[in-house]
Structures are given as C-alpha cells and as structure tokens.
Amino acid sequence: MSGISKSTTVMSKVAFVALLSSSAFTVHALTFEPFSEARFKALQAAHKPVLIDVNAAWCSTCKSQTLVLDSYQRQYPASGITVLKVDFDDQKKWVRYFKAPRQSTFALYQGQEQLWFSVAETRASVIFNQLNQVNQVNNVPKGSTDGIVPTADTSAPQAQPEGGFFKRLMQKLGAS
C-alpha cells in the first residue's frame, strides 16, 4: 500500500470515529430532552411516561446512568419513555421542585403519579425493572435482555452475570 493510501485510510478511520463520538450521531440512544415546564406538563397531561433525570455534566454517576439508559433504549426501542434532563447546576428551581438532594436523581412519572424516585442508582437491573414496570402497564413488548434484567420475576433485582454490566459493555465495545 502506498504512503498516500495508508494516510487516506487512517484519516478515513479517524473521521469515522469522530463522527461516531459526535453528539450529532447516535445509534439507538434515548433522546434526552432538556427539561422545560411546558414539556413536562404536556407529557403529564397526555399521561405519557416521563423520566426526570437530574443531571450534571461533571458527574461520573450521571454518566454511568446514561450508559444504562442507552442500553435500555437499545433493548426496548419502543418504550415510549421520554427522558427530561434537569440541569443540576442551572435549573435549581426544578431541582428543588423534584426534591432532588443531589445530581444523579431519577423521578419516574406516568401522568400526575410519581412511580419511582432514586438517587445515584446505577445498577442496570434496578433501573430496567422500574422502567419495565411502566412498559408493562403501557403494553410495550419486551426486547432481548442480554442477561441484564430478570425476565420472569421483576419484583426483585437479580444478580448480574460475573463481571457486571460495565465490563460486558466494554467487552462489546472492544475495550476490555
């Protein structure tokens, strides 16, 4: 291979990786919307499931939660759950409204009813179980579970396979 061809191939691969990592290109990821009062009230009025995600860009726990939510969306692309992100640093009024003691807080609603409240939860089995309960109420078909969530008894989280969720995710991404 000539020097020009090698250079072109390397540049093409770098451009592809840059495209994949850009925020403009996502594959099977939840669409996170910035929180607004109008959007939240509209979803409640329509009795749509909504997950409030009190989040901070600098929070490592929040980043772990986002990975779990992305995995959930890949397995349940028709879930219909809207994620509204409340910025912990810039939307203090709404942080107080949702009684979030810190960033990495989830509050799951269906209409006016709060179904779940959690702080710093990163276990995929627990998050999946809560979101699946909303899906069962809304008759959303289950997708493949890849051993992350219990398939029969959703009342209690099951032990994850050896190595855990993030180790398996990194292996799938080829970064083990």
Side-chain angles (χ1 to χ4, degrees):
M1 195 180 265
S2 72
I4 293 174
S5 296
K6 283 183 183 178
S7 171
T8 303
T9 302
V10 169
M11 288 177 60
S12 295
K13 287 180 182 178
V14 169
F16 180 72
V17 169
L19 176 65
L20 286 177
S21 63
S22 76
S23 61
F25 184 87
T26 54
V27 177
H28 300 292
L30 279 173
T31 303
F32 294 102
E33 299 179 29
F35 177 86
S36 75
E37 180 178 11
R39 180 69 170 138
F40 179 58
K41 288 186 185 255
L43 289 166
Q44 284 188 305
H47 204 68
K48 298 289 184 184
V50 59
L51 178 65
I52 300 298
D53 178 6
V54 179
N55 194 287
W58 46 264
C59 170
S60 61
T61 302
C62 299
K63 290 174 185 168
S64 295
Q65 291 174 322
T66 298
L67 289 174
V68 172
L69 292 174
D70 285 344
S71 176
Y72 186 84
Q73 178 58 25
R74 282 190 301 278
Q75 293 182 41
Y76 298 89
S79 73
I81 298 171
T82 301
V83 178
L84 296 179
K85 289 177 95 61
V86 174
D87 187 300
F88 180 79
D89 296 316
D90 295 334
Q91 294 181 298
K92 291 296 187 185
K93 171 185 173 184
W94 295 105
V95 170
R96 287 188 298 277
Y97 177 84
F98 291 111
K99 296 179 174 73
R102 55 175 276 189
Q103 72 286 350
S104 73
T105 298
F106 286 147
L108 181 62
Y109 289 85
Q110 177 91 37
Q112 299 293 322
E113 183 182 2
Q114 184 180 45
L115 304 174
W116 180 52
F117 184 88
S118 178
V119 179
E121 182 60 69
T122 59
R123 292 173 293 171
S125 61
V126 173
I127 295 169
F128 276 42
N129 281 336
Q130 294 301 319
L131 299 178
N132 281 341
Q133 288 178 20
V134 171
N135 281 339
Q136 288 171 359
V137 167
N138 294 317
N139 297 316
V140 174
K142 288 186 175 184
S144 68
T145 59
D146 192 29
I148 296 174
V149 233
T151 55
D153 177 18
T154 60
S155 62
Q158 302 293 316
Q160 292 191 20
E162 187 177 324
F165 170 76
F166 293 108
K167 183 174 181 180
R168 290 192 326 279
L169 178 63
M170 296 307 289
Q171 287 171 339
K172 285 182 180 180
L173 294 173
S176 55

